[in-house]
Amino acid sequence: MSTSTTNIESVLNEQRVFPPPAEFSARAHIKSMEEYERLREEAEREPEKFWARMAEEIHWFRRWDKVLDWQPPHARWFVGATTNISYNCLDRHLSTERRTKTALLWEGEPGETRAFTYEELHREVCRFANVLKKLGVARGDRVALYMPLIPELAIAMLACSRIGATHSVVFGGFSAAALVDRINDAGCRAVVTADGGYRRGTEVKLKAAVDEALRETPTVESCVVVRRTGSQVEMKEGRDQWWHELVETVGADCPAEELDSEHPLFILYTSGTTGKPKGILHTTGGYLLWAHLTTKWVFDLKDEDVYWCTADIGWVTGHSYVVYGPLSNGATSIMYEGAPNHPAPDRFWSIVERHKVSIFYTAPTAIRAFIKWGDEHPRRHDLSSLRLLGTVGEPINPEAWMWYREVIGKGRCPVVDTWWQTETGGIMISPLPGATPTKPGSATKPLPGVAADILTRDGEPVAANLGGFLVIRRPFPSMLRTIWGDDERYRQTYFGEIEGVYFAGDGARRDRDGYFWIMGRVDDVINVSGHRLGTMEIESALVSHPAVAEAAVVGRPDELKGQGIFAFVTLEGTREPSDELKEQLRGHVAREIGALARPDEIRFSDALPKTRSGKIMRRLLRELAASGAVKGDVTTLEDFSVIEKLRAQEEE
Ligand code: PRX
């Protein structure tokens, strides 16, 4: 990581405070700051006892011998215990009134709906688990899921976890090339996909991408295809089979396997500072506990709620807060397949009104888009069913927070700004809606059990209101266990930066009330629409084009997406810059990684600004991309004329 500063400047000064509405607190799981403090102190004083008490909320087949085995940087939680997350999400509810309650309520982009009660979902999961077994997938095998946001994706995840297969969900917006890397890194044995899915009225052809990918993935033996759009696809004899045909060939009886608490549950790839994505590994017991508890605490979930997290399941938010957290709590979880502005910019509000959504969780980038599209869209709908609003994925600017509270929540609904990461598996810093007074733009305080802190690069405490590095001092149950296949990278990335603590990669400050204000990434990772992209990954994609000699990618502020992608490119000697080449390169990156990574702007340059030791000075490029000028220290720059030339282009 290229974090060189000791202190980070913070300029935000927000004074507004909103206490939770009294009637909300009266009914909340955690009703006051006193109650929050009691839990927090209990966790500080005797962490293992605290976690053991919390773990009573989960169904275990066998109890643990030891709560935590911590051999830094490796933790094992609930050592010796066995459980199953699919059992906790399904079977557990079948002996209660929830048996006939709606578990998943799905709406496709074209408008059709499908609902599954807990009993029905259980049956579908058991059947698909039997299909996987029939295909030879066994405990410990990896299965790639490359699917649209349809119920079968949740079913496939729960079927994998039921039999102890480790799922690796690959976001349907990623390209065939990105899928190849992820399948090969994890050595997946099977792939589950669909003919296609819908996004903004057009079909995303997933099976075609899978066909391309599977030419280069020697470990894949079988591919199951859901018929979603009905479009023509090729089915390769001996490898590809239809989901609907396979489930007809098996029974609906499939007991959940008793799995070790540390059994690998899923791998999810996320961007890091090098070109290769990191396979974040989560295991069973600790992840389940935290997904369950945080859903209950942060969303204050009750049996009568209709809960909607708008995230795609291709990201961690969808894993923890569309599937595992809500279902383990017996909630009704809504899944919507498509775009927020299809067929019109009021689609989300129409869904809230029609399904009487009470808890709504989305991303700041979506909120900024809603603001831009205009208040008339939410105003056209009855949003009175809403009682709680949440955000995740990137810092939310106070004005967007206020708009969310006023226009969507009508000033009645608490807003929870939740900070966490793929690596943490669940929410770490967030208001408790019945307890915590909120401040627009602040994720407020760490949840009980989360030892979050802000330190200097040297591990020293930072005074109030000064920026520093956000760390977690103690292991927590849902912490990633390693990077798949690269434990050394795990050690270095998360525990090699600041002595003895987990370093998250974010800068933050804490105000005098102990509230955390997240200031964004301090490494070479940019956050586009709430999704992490490594600048190195995009650079590698650019350099893989024959015309490109060298590339440097930086983020620059973007009103809608949070950060936009700005690429500086040096061409091979014989190639001439042109607008056509720019377009080619943008398309090339989209094909290599996915449309999400397509650069917003490309600037050609004879050379890139470097230090004498040859390191690209990204700070200068960032400044240039953001403001068109360079004001900071340039004394380490080898050739100053490079910046002059780049700036001259700006003025052209
Ligand atoms: O920089 C932080 C930002 O998103 C990063 C994690 O990205 P990812 O692993 O893709 O997970 C996103 C969903 C959990 C963090 O390192 N981030 C996430 N939530 C917030 C945030 N930044 C500020 N405020 C948040 N609430």
Side-chain angles (χ1 to χ4, degrees), residues 270 316-317 392-395 417-423 504 506 518 521 527 530 532:
T270 187
V316 73
T317 308
V392 59
E394 56 184 308
D417 170 2
T418 64
W419 177 86
W420 59 294
Q421 310 177 292
T422 306
E423 291 88 340
D506 282 351
I518 313 296
R521 306 289 305 180
N527 193 323
R532 271 159 73 177

mmCIF file with all atom_site columns, all heavy atoms in Angstrom, residues 270 316-317 392-395 417-423 504 506 518 521 527 530 532, ligand 1:
data_model
loop_
_atom_site.group_PDB
_atom_site.id
_atom_site.type_symbol
_atom_site.label_atom_id
_atom_site.label_alt_id
_atom_site.label_comp_id
_atom_site.label_asym_id
_atom_site.label_entity_id
_atom_site.label_seq_id
_atom_site.pdbx_PDB_ins_code
_atom_site.Cartn_x
_atom_site.Cartn_y
_atom_site.Cartn_z
_atom_site.occupancy
_atom_site.B_iso_or_equiv
_atom_site.pdbx_formal_charge
_atom_site.auth_seq_id
_atom_site.auth_comp_id
_atom_site.auth_asym_id
_atom_site.auth_atom_id
_atom_site.pdbx_PDB_model_num
ATOM   1   N N   . THR A 1 270 ? -12.347 -9.227 -4.184 1.00 0.00 ? 270 THR A N   1
ATOM   2   C CA  . THR A 1 270 ? -12.425 -7.778 -4.086 1.00 0.00 ? 270 THR A CA  1
ATOM   3   C C   . THR A 1 270 ? -11.103 -7.184 -4.535 1.00 0.00 ? 270 THR A C   1
ATOM   4   O O   . THR A 1 270 ? -10.093 -7.876 -4.602 1.00 0.00 ? 270 THR A O   1
ATOM   5   C CB  . THR A 1 270 ? -12.787 -7.340 -2.658 1.00 0.00 ? 270 THR A CB  1
ATOM   6   O OG1 . THR A 1 270 ? -13.018 -5.927 -2.655 1.00 0.00 ? 270 THR A OG1 1
ATOM   7   C CG2 . THR A 1 270 ? -11.692 -7.639 -1.660 1.00 0.00 ? 270 THR A CG2 1
ATOM   8   N N   . VAL A 1 316 ? -20.522 -8.077 -1.312 1.00 0.00 ? 316 VAL A N   1
ATOM   9   C CA  . VAL A 1 316 ? -20.682 -8.632 0.032  1.00 0.00 ? 316 VAL A CA  1
ATOM   10  C C   . VAL A 1 316 ? -21.985 -8.164 0.685  1.00 0.00 ? 316 VAL A C   1
ATOM   11  O O   . VAL A 1 316 ? -22.601 -8.895 1.460  1.00 0.00 ? 316 VAL A O   1
ATOM   12  C CB  . VAL A 1 316 ? -19.455 -8.310 0.912  1.00 0.00 ? 316 VAL A CB  1
ATOM   13  C CG1 . VAL A 1 316 ? -19.432 -6.855 1.327  1.00 0.00 ? 316 VAL A CG1 1
ATOM   14  C CG2 . VAL A 1 316 ? -19.394 -9.235 2.113  1.00 0.00 ? 316 VAL A CG2 1
ATOM   15  N N   . THR A 1 317 ? -22.417 -6.956 0.357  1.00 0.00 ? 317 THR A N   1
ATOM   16  C CA  . THR A 1 317 ? -23.652 -6.449 0.959  1.00 0.00 ? 317 THR A CA  1
ATOM   17  C C   . THR A 1 317 ? -24.821 -7.389 0.662  1.00 0.00 ? 317 THR A C   1
ATOM   18  O O   . THR A 1 317 ? -25.652 -7.662 1.532  1.00 0.00 ? 317 THR A O   1
ATOM   19  C CB  . THR A 1 317 ? -23.961 -5.029 0.454  1.00 0.00 ? 317 THR A CB  1
ATOM   20  O OG1 . THR A 1 317 ? -22.795 -4.227 0.660  1.00 0.00 ? 317 THR A OG1 1
ATOM   21  C CG2 . THR A 1 317 ? -25.126 -4.415 1.194  1.00 0.00 ? 317 THR A CG2 1
ATOM   22  N N   . VAL A 1 392 ? -24.731 2.293  2.669  1.00 0.00 ? 392 VAL A N   1
ATOM   23  C CA  . VAL A 1 392 ? -23.465 1.574  2.750  1.00 0.00 ? 392 VAL A CA  1
ATOM   24  C C   . VAL A 1 392 ? -22.666 1.737  1.469  1.00 0.00 ? 392 VAL A C   1
ATOM   25  O O   . VAL A 1 392 ? -23.241 1.946  0.408  1.00 0.00 ? 392 VAL A O   1
ATOM   26  C CB  . VAL A 1 392 ? -23.683 0.057  2.973  1.00 0.00 ? 392 VAL A CB  1
ATOM   27  C CG1 . VAL A 1 392 ? -24.500 -0.559 1.845  1.00 0.00 ? 392 VAL A CG1 1
ATOM   28  C CG2 . VAL A 1 392 ? -22.353 -0.683 3.123  1.00 0.00 ? 392 VAL A CG2 1
ATOM   29  N N   . GLY A 1 393 ? -21.359 1.634  1.584  1.00 0.00 ? 393 GLY A N   1
ATOM   30  C CA  . GLY A 1 393 ? -20.522 1.495  0.392  1.00 0.00 ? 393 GLY A CA  1
ATOM   31  C C   . GLY A 1 393 ? -19.510 2.594  0.203  1.00 0.00 ? 393 GLY A C   1
ATOM   32  O O   . GLY A 1 393 ? -18.474 2.382  -0.405 1.00 0.00 ? 393 GLY A O   1
ATOM   33  N N   . GLU A 1 394 ? -19.815 3.780  0.700  1.00 0.00 ? 394 GLU A N   1
ATOM   34  C CA  . GLU A 1 394 ? -18.895 4.899  0.531  1.00 0.00 ? 394 GLU A CA  1
ATOM   35  C C   . GLU A 1 394 ? -19.345 5.990  1.489  1.00 0.00 ? 394 GLU A C   1
ATOM   36  O O   . GLU A 1 394 ? -20.458 5.936  2.015  1.00 0.00 ? 394 GLU A O   1
ATOM   37  C CB  . GLU A 1 394 ? -18.934 5.401  -0.917 1.00 0.00 ? 394 GLU A CB  1
ATOM   38  C CG  . GLU A 1 394 ? -20.334 5.776  -1.320 1.00 0.00 ? 394 GLU A CG  1
ATOM   39  C CD  . GLU A 1 394 ? -20.465 6.188  -2.771 1.00 0.00 ? 394 GLU A CD  1
ATOM   40  O OE1 . GLU A 1 394 ? -19.703 7.068  -3.187 1.00 0.00 ? 394 GLU A OE1 1
ATOM   41  O OE2 . GLU A 1 394 ? -21.340 5.654  -3.450 1.00 0.00 ? 394 GLU A OE2 1
ATOM   42  N N   . PRO A 1 395 ? -18.492 6.977  1.699  1.00 0.00 ? 395 PRO A N   1
ATOM   43  C CA  . PRO A 1 395 ? -18.921 8.080  2.557  1.00 0.00 ? 395 PRO A CA  1
ATOM   44  C C   . PRO A 1 395 ? -20.149 8.760  1.951  1.00 0.00 ? 395 PRO A C   1
ATOM   45  O O   . PRO A 1 395 ? -20.219 8.932  0.737  1.00 0.00 ? 395 PRO A O   1
ATOM   46  C CB  . PRO A 1 395 ? -17.718 9.025  2.546  1.00 0.00 ? 395 PRO A CB  1
ATOM   47  C CG  . PRO A 1 395 ? -16.552 8.194  2.125  1.00 0.00 ? 395 PRO A CG  1
ATOM   48  C CD  . PRO A 1 395 ? -17.110 7.154  1.211  1.00 0.00 ? 395 PRO A CD  1
ATOM   49  N N   . ASP A 1 417 ? -25.994 4.985  8.704  1.00 0.00 ? 417 ASP A N   1
ATOM   50  C CA  . ASP A 1 417 ? -24.872 4.982  7.759  1.00 0.00 ? 417 ASP A CA  1
ATOM   51  C C   . ASP A 1 417 ? -23.911 3.916  8.277  1.00 0.00 ? 417 ASP A C   1
ATOM   52  O O   . ASP A 1 417 ? -23.320 4.066  9.333  1.00 0.00 ? 417 ASP A O   1
ATOM   53  C CB  . ASP A 1 417 ? -24.239 6.380  7.767  1.00 0.00 ? 417 ASP A CB  1
ATOM   54  C CG  . ASP A 1 417 ? -22.920 6.450  7.007  1.00 0.00 ? 417 ASP A CG  1
ATOM   55  O OD1 . ASP A 1 417 ? -22.486 5.432  6.422  1.00 0.00 ? 417 ASP A OD1 1
ATOM   56  O OD2 . ASP A 1 417 ? -22.308 7.536  7.011  1.00 0.00 ? 417 ASP A OD2 1
ATOM   57  N N   . THR A 1 418 ? -23.783 2.823  7.514  1.00 0.00 ? 418 THR A N   1
ATOM   58  C CA  . THR A 1 418 ? -23.074 1.643  8.033  1.00 0.00 ? 418 THR A CA  1
ATOM   59  C C   . THR A 1 418 ? -21.719 1.495  7.365  1.00 0.00 ? 418 THR A C   1
ATOM   60  O O   . THR A 1 418 ? -21.631 1.376  6.147  1.00 0.00 ? 418 THR A O   1
ATOM   61  C CB  . THR A 1 418 ? -23.909 0.375  7.758  1.00 0.00 ? 418 THR A CB  1
ATOM   62  O OG1 . THR A 1 418 ? -24.020 0.193  6.340  1.00 0.00 ? 418 THR A OG1 1
ATOM   63  C CG2 . THR A 1 418 ? -25.310 0.497  8.346  1.00 0.00 ? 418 THR A CG2 1
ATOM   64  N N   . TRP A 1 419 ? -20.669 1.497  8.143  1.00 0.00 ? 419 TRP A N   1
ATOM   65  C CA  . TRP A 1 419 ? -19.323 1.290  7.589  1.00 0.00 ? 419 TRP A CA  1
ATOM   66  C C   . TRP A 1 419 ? -18.879 -0.150 7.796  1.00 0.00 ? 419 TRP A C   1
ATOM   67  O O   . TRP A 1 419 ? -18.922 -0.680 8.911  1.00 0.00 ? 419 TRP A O   1
ATOM   68  C CB  . TRP A 1 419 ? -18.287 2.210  8.246  1.00 0.00 ? 419 TRP A CB  1
ATOM   69  C CG  . TRP A 1 419 ? -16.910 1.913  7.694  1.00 0.00 ? 419 TRP A CG  1
ATOM   70  C CD1 . TRP A 1 419 ? -16.366 2.433  6.564  1.00 0.00 ? 419 TRP A CD1 1
ATOM   71  C CD2 . TRP A 1 419 ? -15.952 0.975  8.215  1.00 0.00 ? 419 TRP A CD2 1
ATOM   72  N NE1 . TRP A 1 419 ? -15.120 1.877  6.350  1.00 0.00 ? 419 TRP A NE1 1
ATOM   73  C CE2 . TRP A 1 419 ? -14.842 0.983  7.344  1.00 0.00 ? 419 TRP A CE2 1
ATOM   74  C CE3 . TRP A 1 419 ? -15.934 0.126  9.322  1.00 0.00 ? 419 TRP A CE3 1
ATOM   75  C CZ2 . TRP A 1 419 ? -13.711 0.193  7.546  1.00 0.00 ? 419 TRP A CZ2 1
ATOM   76  C CZ3 . TRP A 1 419 ? -14.807 -0.675 9.531  1.00 0.00 ? 419 TRP A CZ3 1
ATOM   77  C CH2 . TRP A 1 419 ? -13.708 -0.631 8.646  1.00 0.00 ? 419 TRP A CH2 1
ATOM   78  N N   . TRP A 1 420 ? -18.439 -0.769 6.733  1.00 0.00 ? 420 TRP A N   1
ATOM   79  C CA  . TRP A 1 420 ? -17.842 -2.102 6.816  1.00 0.00 ? 420 TRP A CA  1
ATOM   80  C C   . TRP A 1 420 ? -17.203 -2.434 5.488  1.00 0.00 ? 420 TRP A C   1
ATOM   81  O O   . TRP A 1 420 ? -17.107 -1.566 4.616  1.00 0.00 ? 420 TRP A O   1
ATOM   82  C CB  . TRP A 1 420 ? -18.859 -3.151 7.251  1.00 0.00 ? 420 TRP A CB  1
ATOM   83  C CG  . TRP A 1 420 ? -20.074 -3.308 6.374  1.00 0.00 ? 420 TRP A CG  1
ATOM   84  C CD1 . TRP A 1 420 ? -21.055 -2.382 6.161  1.00 0.00 ? 420 TRP A CD1 1
ATOM   85  C CD2 . TRP A 1 420 ? -20.452 -4.460 5.618  1.00 0.00 ? 420 TRP A CD2 1
ATOM   86  N NE1 . TRP A 1 420 ? -22.008 -2.892 5.322  1.00 0.00 ? 420 TRP A NE1 1
ATOM   87  C CE2 . TRP A 1 420 ? -21.675 -4.155 4.971  1.00 0.00 ? 420 TRP A CE2 1
ATOM   88  C CE3 . TRP A 1 420 ? -19.892 -5.722 5.437  1.00 0.00 ? 420 TRP A CE3 1
ATOM   89  C CZ2 . TRP A 1 420 ? -22.332 -5.076 4.144  1.00 0.00 ? 420 TRP A CZ2 1
ATOM   90  C CZ3 . TRP A 1 420 ? -20.552 -6.635 4.619  1.00 0.00 ? 420 TRP A CZ3 1
ATOM   91  C CH2 . TRP A 1 420 ? -21.751 -6.309 3.987  1.00 0.00 ? 420 TRP A CH2 1
ATOM   92  N N   . GLN A 1 421 ? -16.726 -3.660 5.318  1.00 0.00 ? 421 GLN A N   1
ATOM   93  C CA  . GLN A 1 421 ? -15.967 -4.048 4.120  1.00 0.00 ? 421 GLN A CA  1
ATOM   94  C C   . GLN A 1 421 ? -16.212 -5.516 3.792  1.00 0.00 ? 421 GLN A C   1
ATOM   95  O O   . GLN A 1 421 ? -16.646 -6.284 4.666  1.00 0.00 ? 421 GLN A O   1
ATOM   96  C CB  . GLN A 1 421 ? -14.466 -3.918 4.390  1.00 0.00 ? 421 GLN A CB  1
ATOM   97  C CG  . GLN A 1 421 ? -14.027 -2.632 4.975  1.00 0.00 ? 421 GLN A CG  1
ATOM   98  C CD  . GLN A 1 421 ? -12.543 -2.654 5.261  1.00 0.00 ? 421 GLN A CD  1
ATOM   99  O OE1 . GLN A 1 421 ? -12.084 -3.374 6.142  1.00 0.00 ? 421 GLN A OE1 1
ATOM   100 N NE2 . GLN A 1 421 ? -11.792 -1.879 4.501  1.00 0.00 ? 421 GLN A NE2 1
ATOM   101 N N   . THR A 1 422 ? -15.858 -5.902 2.588  1.00 0.00 ? 422 THR A N   1
ATOM   102 C CA  . THR A 1 422 ? -15.911 -7.318 2.225  1.00 0.00 ? 422 THR A CA  1
ATOM   103 C C   . THR A 1 422 ? -15.176 -8.138 3.286  1.00 0.00 ? 422 THR A C   1
ATOM   104 O O   . THR A 1 422 ? -15.625 -9.201 3.710  1.00 0.00 ? 422 THR A O   1
ATOM   105 C CB  . THR A 1 422 ? -15.224 -7.535 0.856  1.00 0.00 ? 422 THR A CB  1
ATOM   106 O OG1 . THR A 1 422 ? -15.832 -6.655 -0.098 1.00 0.00 ? 422 THR A OG1 1
ATOM   107 C CG2 . THR A 1 422 ? -15.365 -8.971 0.381  1.00 0.00 ? 422 THR A CG2 1
ATOM   108 N N   . GLU A 1 423 ? -14.046 -7.604 3.728  1.00 0.00 ? 423 GLU A N   1
ATOM   109 C CA  . GLU A 1 423 ? -13.197 -8.327 4.677  1.00 0.00 ? 423 GLU A CA  1
ATOM   110 C C   . GLU A 1 423 ? -13.836 -8.487 6.048  1.00 0.00 ? 423 GLU A C   1
ATOM   111 O O   . GLU A 1 423 ? -13.499 -9.417 6.784  1.00 0.00 ? 423 GLU A O   1
ATOM   112 C CB  . GLU A 1 423 ? -11.865 -7.581 4.852  1.00 0.00 ? 423 GLU A CB  1
ATOM   113 C CG  . GLU A 1 423 ? -10.956 -7.607 3.636  1.00 0.00 ? 423 GLU A CG  1
ATOM   114 C CD  . GLU A 1 423 ? -11.229 -6.473 2.650  1.00 0.00 ? 423 GLU A CD  1
ATOM   115 O OE1 . GLU A 1 423 ? -12.338 -5.896 2.692  1.00 0.00 ? 423 GLU A OE1 1
ATOM   116 O OE2 . GLU A 1 423 ? -10.332 -6.167 1.845  1.00 0.00 ? 423 GLU A OE2 1
ATOM   117 N N   . ALA A 1 504 ? -7.693  -1.440 7.915  1.00 0.00 ? 504 ALA A N   1
ATOM   118 C CA  . ALA A 1 504 ? -8.787  -1.560 6.960  1.00 0.00 ? 504 ALA A CA  1
ATOM   119 C C   . ALA A 1 504 ? -8.512  -0.895 5.618  1.00 0.00 ? 504 ALA A C   1
ATOM   120 O O   . ALA A 1 504 ? -9.203  -1.151 4.648  1.00 0.00 ? 504 ALA A O   1
ATOM   121 C CB  . ALA A 1 504 ? -10.037 -0.945 7.589  1.00 0.00 ? 504 ALA A CB  1
ATOM   122 N N   . ASP A 1 506 ? -8.748  2.403  5.229  1.00 0.00 ? 506 ASP A N   1
ATOM   123 C CA  . ASP A 1 506 ? -9.496  3.663  5.205  1.00 0.00 ? 506 ASP A CA  1
ATOM   124 C C   . ASP A 1 506 ? -8.892  4.679  6.165  1.00 0.00 ? 506 ASP A C   1
ATOM   125 O O   . ASP A 1 506 ? -8.363  4.314  7.212  1.00 0.00 ? 506 ASP A O   1
ATOM   126 C CB  . ASP A 1 506 ? -10.953 3.443  5.647  1.00 0.00 ? 506 ASP A CB  1
ATOM   127 C CG  . ASP A 1 506 ? -11.788 2.836  4.536  1.00 0.00 ? 506 ASP A CG  1
ATOM   128 O OD1 . ASP A 1 506 ? -11.314 2.748  3.396  1.00 0.00 ? 506 ASP A OD1 1
ATOM   129 O OD2 . ASP A 1 506 ? -12.939 2.450  4.819  1.00 0.00 ? 506 ASP A OD2 1
ATOM   130 N N   . ILE A 1 518 ? -15.685 8.619  8.339  1.00 0.00 ? 518 ILE A N   1
ATOM   131 C CA  . ILE A 1 518 ? -14.816 7.896  7.404  1.00 0.00 ? 518 ILE A CA  1
ATOM   132 C C   . ILE A 1 518 ? -14.410 8.841  6.285  1.00 0.00 ? 518 ILE A C   1
ATOM   133 O O   . ILE A 1 518 ? -15.251 9.527  5.710  1.00 0.00 ? 518 ILE A O   1
ATOM   134 C CB  . ILE A 1 518 ? -15.544 6.672  6.795  1.00 0.00 ? 518 ILE A CB  1
ATOM   135 C CG1 . ILE A 1 518 ? -16.261 5.859  7.889  1.00 0.00 ? 518 ILE A CG1 1
ATOM   136 C CG2 . ILE A 1 518 ? -14.589 5.823  5.965  1.00 0.00 ? 518 ILE A CG2 1
ATOM   137 C CD1 . ILE A 1 518 ? -15.388 5.218  8.914  1.00 0.00 ? 518 ILE A CD1 1
ATOM   138 N N   . ARG A 1 521 ? -10.536 5.839  1.164  1.00 0.00 ? 521 ARG A N   1
ATOM   139 C CA  . ARG A 1 521 ? -9.371  4.959  1.078  1.00 0.00 ? 521 ARG A CA  1
ATOM   140 C C   . ARG A 1 521 ? -8.067  5.751  1.148  1.00 0.00 ? 521 ARG A C   1
ATOM   141 O O   . ARG A 1 521 ? -7.976  6.851  0.629  1.00 0.00 ? 521 ARG A O   1
ATOM   142 C CB  . ARG A 1 521 ? -9.404  4.183  -0.246 1.00 0.00 ? 521 ARG A CB  1
ATOM   143 C CG  . ARG A 1 521 ? -10.661 3.413  -0.510 1.00 0.00 ? 521 ARG A CG  1
ATOM   144 C CD  . ARG A 1 521 ? -10.821 2.214  0.356  1.00 0.00 ? 521 ARG A CD  1
ATOM   145 N NE  . ARG A 1 521 ? -9.690  1.313  0.276  1.00 0.00 ? 521 ARG A NE  1
ATOM   146 C CZ  . ARG A 1 521 ? -9.625  0.168  0.971  1.00 0.00 ? 521 ARG A CZ  1
ATOM   147 N NH1 . ARG A 1 521 ? -10.616 -0.195 1.766  1.00 0.00 ? 521 ARG A NH1 1
ATOM   148 N NH2 . ARG A 1 521 ? -8.583  -0.612 0.870  1.00 0.00 ? 521 ARG A NH2 1
ATOM   149 N N   . ASN A 1 527 ? -13.198 4.096  -5.219 1.00 0.00 ? 527 ASN A N   1
ATOM   150 C CA  . ASN A 1 527 ? -14.539 3.639  -4.892 1.00 0.00 ? 527 ASN A CA  1
ATOM   151 C C   . ASN A 1 527 ? -15.515 4.238  -5.907 1.00 0.00 ? 527 ASN A C   1
ATOM   152 O O   . ASN A 1 527 ? -15.883 5.392  -5.833 1.00 0.00 ? 527 ASN A O   1
ATOM   153 C CB  . ASN A 1 527 ? -14.867 4.110  -3.472 1.00 0.00 ? 527 ASN A CB  1
ATOM   154 C CG  . ASN A 1 527 ? -16.103 3.423  -2.931 1.00 0.00 ? 527 ASN A CG  1
ATOM   155 O OD1 . ASN A 1 527 ? -17.051 3.177  -3.674 1.00 0.00 ? 527 ASN A OD1 1
ATOM   156 N ND2 . ASN A 1 527 ? -16.090 3.116  -1.654 1.00 0.00 ? 527 ASN A ND2 1
ATOM   157 N N   . GLY A 1 530 ? -19.735 2.961  -4.999 1.00 0.00 ? 530 GLY A N   1
ATOM   158 C CA  . GLY A 1 530 ? -19.785 2.044  -3.861 1.00 0.00 ? 530 GLY A CA  1
ATOM   159 C C   . GLY A 1 530 ? -19.068 0.729  -4.097 1.00 0.00 ? 530 GLY A C   1
ATOM   160 O O   . GLY A 1 530 ? -19.151 -0.172 -3.285 1.00 0.00 ? 530 GLY A O   1
ATOM   161 N N   . ARG A 1 532 ? -15.411 -1.226 -4.931 1.00 0.00 ? 532 ARG A N   1
ATOM   162 C CA  . ARG A 1 532 ? -13.970 -1.035 -4.887 1.00 0.00 ? 532 ARG A CA  1
ATOM   163 C C   . ARG A 1 532 ? -13.309 -1.506 -6.158 1.00 0.00 ? 532 ARG A C   1
ATOM   164 O O   . ARG A 1 532 ? -13.522 -2.603 -6.615 1.00 0.00 ? 532 ARG A O   1
ATOM   165 C CB  . ARG A 1 532 ? -13.410 -1.849 -3.729 1.00 0.00 ? 532 ARG A CB  1
ATOM   166 C CG  . ARG A 1 532 ? -13.382 -1.099 -2.460 1.00 0.00 ? 532 ARG A CG  1
ATOM   167 C CD  . ARG A 1 532 ? -13.319 -2.071 -1.337 1.00 0.00 ? 532 ARG A CD  1
ATOM   168 N NE  . ARG A 1 532 ? -12.010 -2.684 -1.247 1.00 0.00 ? 532 ARG A NE  1
ATOM   169 C CZ  . ARG A 1 532 ? -11.691 -3.538 -0.286 1.00 0.00 ? 532 ARG A CZ  1
ATOM   170 N NH1 . ARG A 1 532 ? -12.569 -3.882 0.623  1.00 0.00 ? 532 ARG A NH1 1
ATOM   171 N NH2 . ARG A 1 532 ? -10.499 -4.046 -0.231 1.00 0.00 ? 532 ARG A NH2 1
HETATM 172 O O1  . PRX B 2 .   ? -13.715 2.690  1.884  1.00 0.00 ? 1   PRX B O1  1
HETATM 173 C C1  . PRX B 2 .   ? -14.737 2.053  2.604  1.00 0.00 ? 1   PRX B C1  1
HETATM 174 C C2  . PRX B 2 .   ? -16.019 2.092  1.810  1.00 0.00 ? 1   PRX B C2  1
HETATM 175 O O2  . PRX B 2 .   ? -16.047 0.880  1.070  1.00 0.00 ? 1   PRX B O2  1
HETATM 176 C C3  . PRX B 2 .   ? -14.916 0.071  1.384  1.00 0.00 ? 1   PRX B C3  1
HETATM 177 C C4  . PRX B 2 .   ? -15.310 -1.375 1.400  1.00 0.00 ? 1   PRX B C4  1
HETATM 178 O O3  . PRX B 2 .   ? -15.692 -1.761 0.132  1.00 0.00 ? 1   PRX B O3  1
HETATM 179 P P1  . PRX B 2 .   ? -16.262 -3.210 -0.122 1.00 0.00 ? 1   PRX B P1  1
HETATM 180 O O4  . PRX B 2 .   ? -15.359 -4.219 0.467  1.00 0.00 ? 1   PRX B O4  1
HETATM 181 O O5  . PRX B 2 .   ? -16.545 -3.305 -1.577 1.00 0.00 ? 1   PRX B O5  1
HETATM 182 O O6  . PRX B 2 .   ? -17.598 -3.278 0.689  1.00 0.00 ? 1   PRX B O6  1
HETATM 183 C C5  . PRX B 2 .   ? -18.620 -2.374 0.425  1.00 0.00 ? 1   PRX B C5  1
HETATM 184 C C6  . PRX B 2 .   ? -19.823 -2.740 1.245  1.00 0.00 ? 1   PRX B C6  1
HETATM 185 C C7  . PRX B 2 .   ? -19.573 -3.068 2.656  1.00 0.00 ? 1   PRX B C7  1
HETATM 186 C C8  . PRX B 2 .   ? -14.464 0.566  2.724  1.00 0.00 ? 1   PRX B C8  1
HETATM 187 O O7  . PRX B 2 .   ? -13.116 0.254  2.957  1.00 0.00 ? 1   PRX B O7  1
HETATM 188 N N1  . PRX B 2 .   ? -17.213 2.165  2.675  1.00 0.00 ? 1   PRX B N1  1
HETATM 189 C C9  . PRX B 2 .   ? -18.111 1.199  2.926  1.00 0.00 ? 1   PRX B C9  1
HETATM 190 N N2  . PRX B 2 .   ? -19.099 1.658  3.706  1.00 0.00 ? 1   PRX B N2  1
HETATM 191 C C10 . PRX B 2 .   ? -18.820 2.945  3.990  1.00 0.00 ? 1   PRX B C10 1
HETATM 192 C C11 . PRX B 2 .   ? -17.610 3.269  3.336  1.00 0.00 ? 1   PRX B C11 1
HETATM 193 N N3  . PRX B 2 .   ? -17.055 4.490  3.448  1.00 0.00 ? 1   PRX B N3  1
HETATM 194 C C12 . PRX B 2 .   ? -17.689 5.408  4.200  1.00 0.00 ? 1   PRX B C12 1
HETATM 195 N N4  . PRX B 2 .   ? -18.851 5.177  4.841  1.00 0.00 ? 1   PRX B N4  1
HETATM 196 C C13 . PRX B 2 .   ? -19.460 3.974  4.767  1.00 0.00 ? 1   PRX B C13 1
HETATM 197 N N5  . PRX B 2 .   ? -20.616 3.770  5.380  1.00 0.00 ? 1   PRX B N5  1
#
